[in-house]
Amino acid sequence: MSDEGDDLRELYQELILDHGRHPRNFHASPDAQREAVGHNPLCGDKLVLYLTVGEDGHIVDASFQGEGCAISVASASMMTEMLKGKTAAQAKALWTYFEGLCKGSAGDDDAILASLDEDDASRLQALAGVRHYPVRVKCAMLAWRTLESALDPAVAKKVGAE
Ligand code: ZN
């Protein structure tokens, strides 16, 4: 069915189940500078992403709230863990790499892969196991699409401004 070994697949599933059941950074952040809402009508997944960006441009805090299937929650949970300490450009590299993995064009972009730390790259590879289940890809991408909005100053609501 796939080129991944059963052990590896099991490990991926455990990671996703764990984050799906016990999401990290799962809370509202009323003081966050930016928030964006994401919705995946195909599955009913909804989430609100909260980001706080420091003066030096690094993401100092990321959290989310919402409800959805285990994959959408696990993806958001893993994403918020990865975002802390990243710049917007590094966050975009994560998203681009993940999108490539989900579309099956992954690994081609060595420059992006080289810019990611090994931990993040393997977490994204685990998450991208959903590419074997096309209806689930939108669930896994929801948090990342929401991140894209949150990082776009034109789209994101700036809390506390005015
Ligand atoms: Zn879903």
Side-chain angles (χ1 to χ4, degrees), residues 4-24:
E4 284 163 10
D6 287 347
D7 289 351
L8 196 57
R9 184 175 294 221
E10 226 163 80
L11 186 78
Y12 287 177
Q13 283 174 351
E14 266 172 42
L15 189 67
I16 287 166
L17 283 175
D18 181 48
H19 277 268
R21 284 183 191 142
H22 310 287
R24 320 309 196 257

Side-chain angles (χ1 to χ4, degrees), residues 40 42-45 68-73 135-136 138-140 142:
N40 170 23
L42 284 179
C43 180
D45 309 316
C69 64
I71 289 175
S72 69
V73 171
V135 290
R136 289 303 193 192
K138 281 197 158 61
C139 301
L142 176 64

